Amino acid sequence: MLEDNMENRHCGCNSNCNQDCNMSCDCMNNNEEMSCACKNDLREEMMMQLRAYKFSIIELALYLDTHPDDEKALCLHREYAKKAKELADKYQKMFGPLTISYPCKKWRWLEEPWPWERGNF
Amino acid sequence: MAMGKGEFLMWSYTKALEYPVKIKCTNPRLAKFIISQYGGPDGELAASLRYLSQRFGMPDEKAKAILNDIGTEELAHLEMVGTIVHQLTNGVCPEELEKAGLGAYYTDHGIDVYPQSAAGVPFTASYIAAKGDPIANLQEDLAAEQKARATYEKLIDLCKDDPDVIEPLRFLRQREIVHFQRFGEALRGVQDKLAMKRFYMNDCNKMNDNKCNCLKEFNSVNNYNVCDSVCNCNNNR
């Protein structure tokens, strides 16, 4: 009975999710060859970089709210927004979703530690 | 901190702090003080709700944007302060909590992070000022940022022995200073707008179009157009 219900949950969309799915992408395979400590170091390094980009975006956005005509700030904002997006995509492919918007084949949102746990990777 | 695909949700949560909090040693005594920046009078919850509530009455686009965006950043700070309190008390036994003055807190809230002041007063909406007056509101916000900065300085004085706690507190203190700067600029923008010859608080065009029946009645009864004297909306007729 339960299995029947489970089977019915396949949506049948046949979508090819290789593009987005973190369980089947190349980088995940590479990761499995890395040692645990090495993986954590990389994860922390990437998160620090992502946090730096994101902080720059916040700071520039607040500045631009009161200085919307500052071309230099606008240019920097564009640059960091692009870098943050690229790195966020890469990070999420390797280590799992940072937001509930990230598409996954398996629901990995539950697996990732919360910011108040495990010192916030 | 929204990022990645499909981030056009308001608001969206990101599983990462704006600034890292990695506290190695518990210290419930400090948690009892720091919780004031979670739900105390000058805390992050009050700050966020204050700014988000004041957006609706602002006459100036810059002021609306800065209230929206700082109000949002304050929610990220709330998450940081909650994390500090959690990590300072995580795994501490009830006896130790009681010794640190958290026996009453543990009784009512266990290991949840409850919005209250350092003295144990629960969060109240009376911490939020939304006066319906852009000058009064922005002056309030400037003072609020200074009060929050002063609170963080007092907390840093109390945390001298733990750099893991001081670092995020210093970051939060610095943000108060940047917010103060931005609110000052927004206030000047609003003052400039109010000093313009033709200025009105509410959008007369919208009111005359279809929104406000009482204004139409008022116009006909008094046989003159309220808006004509203060704005250009008669261009539409």
Side-chain angles (χ1 to χ4, degrees):
Chain A
M1 194 61 180
L2 186 65
E3 278 176 14
D4 285 351
N5 284 340
M6 290 302 280
E7 271 178 32
N8 289 340
R9 289 175 198 272
H10 290 301
C11 66
C13 65
N14 293 325
S15 69
N16 180 2
C17 71
N18 283 347
Q19 200 63 34
D20 295 324
C21 181
N22 38 49
M23 292 307 287
S24 59
C25 77
D26 294 340
C27 36
M28 199 65 192
N29 293 337
N30 290 342
N31 262 357
E32 280 163 9
E33 290 161 19
M34 292 169 77
S35 73
C36 206
C38 193
K39 191 177 164 185
N40 275 344
D41 284 351
L42 178 65
R43 181 191 178 114
E44 190 161 10
E45 194 186 315
M46 281 176 78
M47 178 47 83
M48 281 307 287
Q49 188 60 55
L50 193 51
R51 199 182 276 115
Y53 287 147
K54 201 63 196 180
F55 176 74
S56 306
I57 291 167
I58 292 170
E59 183 71 325
L60 285 162
L62 296 188
Y63 175 81
L64 281 161
D65 280 349
T66 53
H67 305 80
D69 300 323
D70 191 318
E71 287 295 331
K72 192 181 172 193
L74 200 57
C75 183
L76 280 172
H77 184 271
R78 277 197 300 271
E79 181 191 332
Y80 289 129
K82 185 170 176 284
K83 284 180 173 169
K85 192 188 178 308
E86 285 167 3
L87 188 57
D89 286 349
K90 196 175 160 193
Y91 181 96
Q92 290 180 108
K93 258 185 190 173
M94 292 175 80
F95 301 114
L98 287 168
T99 77
I100 56 167
S101 301
Y102 193 76
C104 299
K105 201 172 188 178
K106 176 173 173 263
W107 192 238
R108 297 189 69 204
W109 182 246
L110 306 182
E111 296 167 16
E112 300 307 309
W114 293 91
W116 58 90
E117 296 165 345
R118 237 176 69 183
N120 178 51
F121 278 113
Chain B
M1 286 178 66
M3 58 192 98
K5 292 167 186 173
E7 63 185 51
F8 305 107
L9 295 164
M10 202 59 197
W11 280 262
S12 67
Y13 183 84
T14 300
K15 247 180 179 177
L17 296 180
E18 190 185 5
Y19 188 91
V21 176
K22 296 178 185 178
I23 297 168
K24 291 185 275 297
C25 305
T26 56
N27 189 335
R29 189 184 58 86
L30 290 183
K32 188 178 188 296
F33 304 137
I34 292 171
I35 205 166
S36 220
Q37 281 306 88
Y38 194 79
D42 306 312
E44 302 293 352
L45 181 61
S48 179
L49 295 181
R50 180 184 300 116
Y51 306 148
L52 296 179
S53 302
Q54 291 176 0
R55 293 173 298 171
F56 302 96
M58 279 293 154
D60 181 62
E61 294 308 319
K62 290 179 186 173
K64 281 180 221 170
I66 206 72
L67 284 167
N68 185 80
D69 297 343
I70 294 180
T72 300
E73 190 184 353
E74 303 291 14
L75 288 175
H77 296 171
L78 184 74
E79 184 82 334
M80 279 180 64
V81 178
T83 297
I84 294 172
V85 172
H86 172 75
Q87 291 184 0
L88 282 173
T89 54
N90 194 27
V92 177
C93 66
E95 289 79 10
E96 288 298 315
L97 289 175
E98 193 186 352
K99 271 187 211 162
L102 283 169
Y105 181 95
Y106 180 75
T107 304
D108 286 335
H109 311 297
I111 57 166
D112 289 343
V113 180
Y114 183 76
Q116 66 169 43
S117 74
V121 179
F123 179 82
T124 160
S126 61
Y127 294 155
I128 304 163
K131 195 63 196 168
D133 180 287
I135 300 290
N137 279 347
L138 286 166
Q139 294 279 8
E140 178 86 27
D141 301 342
L142 287 164
E145 293 295 336
Q146 290 298 341
K147 285 189 276 185
R149 174 194 55 76
T151 309
Y152 279 120
E153 287 174 7
K154 289 167 174 51
L155 289 172
I156 289 166
D157 288 343
L158 291 164
C159 296
K160 269 185 190 137
D161 47 349
D162 193 344
D164 288 350
V165 186
I166 288 180
E167 280 308 309
L169 292 179
R170 284 182 59 199
F171 171 83
L172 291 166
R173 176 191 168 274
Q174 287 164 8
R175 298 310 294 156
E176 310 300 346
I177 294 166
V178 173
H179 293 172
F180 177 81
Q181 176 71 24
R182 298 284 97 88
F183 279 135
E185 290 155 1
L187 176 62
R188 281 194 287 283
V190 169
Q191 282 167 333
D192 289 348
K193 186 136 190 173
L194 293 175
M196 283 161 65
K197 272 190 179 174
R198 291 188 164 196
F199 168 77
Y200 48 93
M201 270 302 294
N202 296 308
D203 190 333
C204 281
N205 283 320
K206 281 181 193 158
M207 287 172 90
N208 280 341
D209 280 349
N210 53 11
K211 294 287 186 332
C212 186
N213 292 324
C214 50
L215 183 65
K216 279 179 186 163
E217 264 174 43
F218 179 76
N219 289 347
S220 58
V221 167
N222 291 281
N223 201 26
Y224 83 108
N225 194 320
V226 181
C227 292
D228 281 349
S229 58
V230 286
C231 79
N232 295 321
C233 67
N234 54 347
N235 293 344
N236 289 346
R237 272 174 232 122

